Amino acid sequence: MARVVFEQVTKQYDNGYVAVKDLNLDIGDQEFVVLVGPSGCGKTTSLRMLAGLEEITSGNLYIGDRQVNQAPAKDRDIAMVFQSYALYPHMSVFENMAFSLELQGVPKAEMRDRVQSAAKQLGIEPLLDRKPKQLSGGQRQRVAVGRAIVRNPAVFLMDEPLSNLDAKLRVQARAELSRLHQKLGTTFIYVTHDQAEAMTMGSRIAVMNQGILQQVDTPQNVYEHP
Ligand code: ADP
Ligand code: ADP
């Protein structure tokens, strides 16, 4: 559980391109904020900076009470779900979910308990011995979420986690992620192109365009009174 603050954060890539400019965004503890905007506007870059996968050029980032400008990704108490899921193809579902805990040196018995409990929560317990290629798209998506959940992160970042699902599954998964957010009580930052997702999932929507944050408001105010 943690408040997340972007303070005047700018990202200029090595080739000179400014992908995010002077971003100020204050996200409350346990809040669910949806980041929207056209392709290339800087949404993924913003998540990656927060996760520590991309350095900030200037400004400050805070997670909870900590300034994390230079903190390595593993010390940020964040888990990220990628659009592509990024599952390890040669590992079983169990191994995919356990991997980050193994790296952290979590004892085997605790690891097993945490993986099993996350799998149960997501309804993927029967799939723990399968390889990713033996799963449907919807099942893979759950494994990707499960891999994040087992780490008990303070902050969940999701980059278009549902965009590879068909329309029907997407609606179902939307409701499941909303329930998960309420149950876990963690801070969620969620990137999407999909207006229906943004409308129904977030308590606030942050609208970006060309690297600049245009508006942060409730779904009603963003979409009904533009
Ligand atoms: P979004 O997630 O909103 O689609 P991104 O954050 O992925 O946008 O990208 C923002 C802009 O930064 C895009 O114009 C993209 O091409 C550019 N960009 C992303 N990564 C790099 C990089 N490593 N080097 C240079 N430019 C990049
Ligand atoms: P997404 O669809 O999630 O926004 P992209 O397909 O734009 O991601 O980018 C995938 C990867 O390529 C990212 O790691 C991003 O940093 C990198 N990338 C994107 N645009 C550029 C660019 N113009 N130059 C170099 N790397 C880029």
Side-chain angles (χ1 to χ4, degrees):
M1 282 171 275
R3 179 176 169 205
V4 169
V5 179
F6 290 85
E7 186 182 270
Q8 291 287 110
V9 172
T10 290
K11 175 65 187 185
Q12 180 168 30
Y13 281 109
D14 291 342
N15 64 0
Y17 189 80
V18 178
V20 175
K21 188 163 169 49
D22 296 333
L23 174 60
N24 288 299
L25 182 59
D26 189 334
I27 297 170
D29 180 25
Q30 307 192 30
E31 199 181 356
F32 193 139
V33 166
V34 180
L35 202 51
V36 301
S39 184
C41 73
K43 304 181 298 294
T44 297
T45 300
S46 301
L47 290 194
R48 288 174 60 84
M49 289 192 288
L50 188 59
L53 303 174
E54 202 72 73
E55 278 183 24
I56 63 175
T57 306
S58 59
N60 291 298
L61 279 175
Y62 301 89
I63 299 173
D65 297 331
R66 293 175 57 216
Q67 193 230 64
V68 295
N69 295 5
Q70 312 280 345
K74 65 176 173 53
D75 294 343
R76 295 195 184 195
D77 207 3
I78 273 185
M80 186 155 168
V81 177
F82 299 91
Q83 178 177 13
S84 61
Y85 312 144
L87 301 177
Y88 305 110
H90 58 287
M91 292 187 191
S92 69
V93 168
F94 180 92
E95 288 162 342
N96 264 283
M97 289 174 69
F99 188 61
S100 70
L101 301 181
E102 215 173 317
L103 290 184
Q104 286 172 26
V106 173
K108 279 239 169 353
E110 183 191 335
M111 193 168 80
R112 214 163 25 239
D113 287 349
R114 279 167 70 173
V115 170
Q116 256 152 11
S117 131
K120 195 167 170 191
Q121 199 168 346
L122 293 163
I124 54 174
E125 251 185 325
L127 309 176
L128 286 172
D129 291 329
R130 294 204 199 170
K131 294 277 172 62
K133 69 169 184 294
Q134 299 170 309
L135 303 174
S136 71
Q139 290 169 338
R140 276 179 211 165
Q141 196 274 329
R142 284 165 194 254
V143 174
V145 172
R147 201 167 56 168
I149 288 181
V150 290
R151 295 168 56 193
N152 298 325
V155 181
F156 255 85
L157 306 183
M158 302 202 167
D159 193 356
E160 308 222 20
L162 308 183
S163 61
N164 287 318
L165 304 180
D166 65 42
K168 192 170 159 224
L169 266 183
R170 214 153 52 218
V171 170
Q172 189 186 326
R174 215 154 76 192
E176 282 176 19
L177 286 182
S178 295
R179 274 198 297 275
L180 188 68
H181 170 252
Q182 282 176 358
K183 183 153 177 231
L184 297 176
T186 53
T187 309
F188 269 45
I189 308 176
Y190 189 99
V191 164
T192 185
H193 276 106
D194 184 333
Q195 184 173 332
E197 275 178 29
M199 287 284 292
T200 52
M201 296 181 81
S203 56
R204 283 193 303 160
I205 297 179
V207 185
M208 288 185 81
N209 194 18
Q210 298 190 343
I212 293 172
L213 182 64
Q214 307 281 345
Q215 188 184 9
V216 189
D217 212 330
T218 60
Q220 288 72 22
N221 288 339
V222 168
Y223 289 115
E224 287 166 25
H225 315 285

